[in-house]
Structure formats: C-alpha cells, structure tokens
Amino acid sequence: MAICRVDRTAVRSALVVAVCLGSPGPSAAQGGSAPLSATAGAQTTQTEQGHTDQASREAPGTEYPALHLSGFADVDFAAQNKSAGPRGFSEGQFVLHFASALSPRVNFFGELSLTPRADAGSGTPPASGFNAEVERVIIRFDQSDQLKVSFGRYHTPVNWWNTAFHHGQWLQTTISRPEMVQFGGTFIPVHFVGALAEGAFPAGGWNLNYQAGLGNGRGNVSSRAGDAGDNNARPASLLSLFTKPDRAFGLQVGGSLYFDRISVPGQPEFSERITAAHAVWQREDPEIIAEIADVRHREIGGPLTASSLAYYVQTAYRLPSFARLWKPYYRFEHIAIGATDVVFGSVPNLDGSTMGVRYDISTYAAIKSEVRVRRRVSDRPRTNGWFFQISFTF
C-alpha cells in the first residue's frame, strides 16, 4: 500500500508541474523513453504519462501488470438560447483513464467515458441515463525512442488539440473545445482505429517527431470511426511531423496529412484529403495555440470537388499576481464549408469568439467562466451564451 501512495504522489506532482508551468510532453531527445506516445505528446496526457512512466521504471522483479487509475469529471451551467444547446445545470462527462505496464517495453492505455443522455428514460425500452463509450484502447511496444509501434483506438493525430486534450475537461484551459475538433463533430475525424508507428530524433536540438498510421477512418456515420471494421476496405492513412526545439522551450510546430475514402450508405463515395498545420507555445505566460485544417472531398467517378477550411487562434496568460491562480483567455475560430461539399452538408459555418477566465481553486480543481459569441450565417444575428464549469481530476 505504501508503494501505491508514493506512485500517486509522484504522478500528481508531475501533473501539476507540467500543466501549471505549461511544459510540453517530453520528446525522446528531451527526456528519454516514455510509455504510450509521450514522444509524440499525442495520445497520453501528462497524468497518463506519469502513471506509465512510473510503472516502466520499476525495479527488476516488479509484478506485471502494474495498473494505475485516474479520473476526470465536471459540472456545468449554461445560459443561452434554447436553439443553441442545453440550458441550466448539466453533468459533464465522467472519464476514467487506465494505464498499465505489461512489461518494461509493453504498455497499455485505455479511456472510458460516461456521458449523460438528454433522452434518458424515454423510448421503449427506456433509454439509460448515460452512454458508455470506449474512447481509447492502445497497446504499445517500445523498440527504442526512434520507433514505438501501437495498435488500438486513438484520438486521430491529424491536429494538435485532438491529441493534447482528451475527455477530461480539467486538462484544457477553456470550457469548450474548438468546434473543428468537437467530440461528436464531423469536420475532423476525432477517432482512428488501427496501427501507429512513432518516434523522435534529437536532430541537433530540433527534436523531430513523427507519427505514421494506417487503419479505419470514418465509418457509416462520418462522425464516428469504423470500430467494427472498415466499411469500404480502403484504409485511412496519416502522417504527422513536428518539432520541439530545445532553444524555444514549450514551442511545437508541425503539420499532418490524412487520406481516406468515405462511404456513407445512400450517398456517392468520396476521397478525403486533410492538410493541417499547427503552432503552439505551450507556456502559461503566455499560452498560444493556432491551428488550421483544409479538408478536400472529391467524388469517386463524379464531377464534385469541394474544399472546406477551418482555423482557430487561442491565447491565454496566467496572471503573476493572486498566487498565479487566475488565467484569462480568448479564442477566435472560423469554419467555412464549401458550397458544393456534400459530405459536410450538415456542418454549419462559424465565426465565433470565446472569452473567459480560469481560476485554479486547488491543485486538482478549477472554476471556469466564459462567454461565447457565434455567427453561423453572415446575414444573421450573432448568438450569445454564458457558461460556467467546475472541473477536476482525481
């Protein structure tokens, strides 16, 4: 039992330092081998990395598997137009992270979420109160810092936010995610089922990282991955490259390519190409996140070709006074759907601003308040809303 207490203390301390100081996940060149995608900073949070890193460094003779559990939850309040979404109090996702070392070079990570249903108790039979979802299941084999191979269900590493901040709302500065990477959204394929190779090279202090993946992209519902198999036998592929230079601690710059064929019943097939880029200064004073993605769809055997664009810029700054507990932030985001984009026919355009402040009430709990101003159609009025959240990790 004493070992468990030491593990928890070490993990929490590492988490606080990483998040409050805004340090990036260590690359292989910067911090040695770390389990489950720490070299790419993508599929594990700082909490997960701490759990698996601790487990992988156990002395010889350690019993396996060495399982560690952490969780996240949040309680929310919304004041907005009924047409824009839920109002009043709501329970956010209840999320559990499972990290387990299976051997010195083999690690497992899983993420399970429970999401409240708006239609709970209705229908025949009555709908349950929560939807359970296996968000991520990843087993990874570490050959070296330069090559780690994993298999499972991922948050698609096609852009930065989707792999840096997962379902625990406490992890991110804001209450809301950018709409282009919204869970349940369509613009970016949030999940990916398949295999991923990744690694990092020092490269004279540039710390070059790569990820290359092959697997199931969008399923019969374009907002979901092909969890039960590829629906068209044409796998999706992706390549992501980024750098974390030593001389600019906290900086990450990179880009990615994603290719897939979309087969939705009752619609023509389309090829999909996503080109994305990001620049992130992951410091608390300041925090700057900028991403852009162009999604191009071409009808197979037909004339339709369309391109849709989305981007956002988010800035935040942890105030040096008041014990560094206050962190105001602002985000502007834009989505422009191509007029002939049949695949994104139900995705609305967006020009939106999000302004708010985060207050860290304790080491593991935060209070957030934000205002969102959104316009979907250029000649229509903007919609406004105020949102409040208490998020925490345990």
Side-chain angles (χ1 to χ4, degrees):
M1 296 302 294
I3 293 176
C4 294
R5 288 194 293 270
V6 172
D7 287 347
R8 181 173 293 274
T9 301
V11 169
R12 297 309 188 195
S13 299
L15 176 64
V16 173
V17 172
V19 175
C20 293
L21 297 183
S23 62
S27 68
Q30 293 170 322
S33 177
L36 276 182
S37 231
T39 55
Q43 290 304 327
T44 57
T45 63
Q46 298 291 346
T47 304
E48 300 150 18
Q49 177 190 316
H51 284 313
T52 52
D53 201 29
Q54 178 73 22
S56 68
R57 293 175 183 173
E58 304 260 1
T62 298
E63 293 186 5
Y64 295 100
L67 176 64
H68 299 272
L69 176 67
S70 59
F72 301 87
D74 56 274
V75 179
D76 302 88
F77 181 86
Q80 60 180 337
N81 295 335
K82 185 176 181 180
S83 60
R87 297 180 293 179
F89 284 99
S90 61
E91 186 175 353
Q93 284 189 324
F94 182 84
V95 182
L96 294 175
H97 289 179
F98 304 84
S100 181
L102 306 183
S103 78
R105 290 184 176 271
V106 181
N107 296 279
F108 164 80
F109 177 78
E111 181 178 36
L112 174 67
S113 70
L114 297 171
T115 306
R117 295 176 57 123
D119 61 346
S122 62
T124 304
S128 62
F130 290 81
N131 277 337
E133 185 81 25
V134 177
E135 302 291 352
R136 288 180 290 162
V137 173
I138 303 168
I139 184 168
R140 202 184 76 179
F141 305 90
D142 296 352
Q143 174 62 32
S144 65
D145 288 340
Q146 291 75 39
L147 178 62
K148 305 173 191 293
V149 179
S150 58
F151 302 86
R153 188 179 202 251
Y154 308 83
H155 284 149
T156 313
V158 70
N159 79 318
W160 184 85
W161 190 293
N162 195 40
T163 55
F165 301 130
H166 300 291
H167 288 265
Q169 295 289 293
W170 179 83
L171 294 165
Q172 62 194 38
T173 299
T174 57
I175 296 175
S176 60
R177 293 166 64 94
E179 196 158 309
M180 65 183 284
V181 289
Q182 196 71 260
F183 289 128
T186 303
F187 195 89
I188 292 290
V190 175
H191 289 101
F192 176 84
V193 180
L196 194 69
E198 59 191 314
F201 300 86
W206 284 96
N207 302 318
L208 299 180
N209 293 253
Y210 75 90
Q211 291 178 302
L214 185 70
N216 304 340
R218 302 184 192 266
N220 290 333
V221 177
S222 57
S223 62
R224 294 189 60 88
D227 299 309
D230 197 325
N231 65 354
N232 55 25
R234 291 182 177 270
S237 59
L238 62 91
L239 176 65
S240 176
L241 302 171
F242 58 92
T243 178
K244 295 180 178 182
D246 286 339
R247 292 188 176 183
F249 185 74
L251 177 66
Q252 179 175 317
V253 178
S256 62
L257 288 170
Y258 176 92
F259 301 94
D260 192 16
R261 176 171 288 194
I262 301 176
S263 300
V264 176
Q267 296 185 11
E269 286 193 323
F270 288 85
S271 65
E272 180 175 64
R273 184 193 70 195
I274 303 176
T275 307
H278 68 269
V280 178
W281 188 257
Q282 200 177 6
R283 300 286 294 271
E284 293 289 283
D285 50 358
E287 170 189 282
I288 302 173
I289 307 171
E291 295 200 79
I292 186 169
D294 176 80
V295 183
R296 183 179 179 85
H297 293 130
R298 181 177 61 83
E299 184 180 2
I300 303 300
L304 291 179
T305 299
S307 180
S308 300
L309 181 72
Y311 63 84
Y312 72 89
V313 178
Q314 178 173 306
T315 61
Y317 193 91
R318 187 168 293 279
L319 300 178
S321 55
F322 308 107
R324 294 179 57 83
L325 298 178
W326 295 87
K327 187 179 181 183
Y329 55 85
Y330 171 79
R331 181 174 69 230
F332 176 79
E333 53 188 311
H334 173 81
I335 298 177
I337 304 300
T340 60
D341 198 334
V342 176
V343 177
F344 285 171
S346 62
V347 178
N349 292 325
L350 173 68
D351 279 308
S353 290
T354 300
M355 299 155 284
V357 63
R358 172 183 176 132
Y359 173 70
D360 288 283
I361 191 171
S362 80
T363 303
Y364 310 116
I367 297 175
K368 308 175 191 178
S369 175
E370 70 182 33
V371 174
R372 300 174 206 159
V373 181
R374 294 158 289 192
R375 174 175 285 167
R376 302 293 184 181
V377 183
S378 59
D379 60 348
R380 298 287 179 87
R382 295 181 181 272
T383 59
N384 306 318
W386 173 72
F387 305 85
F388 176 84
Q389 180 185 81
I390 298 177
S391 58
F392 53 95
T393 180
F394 56 91

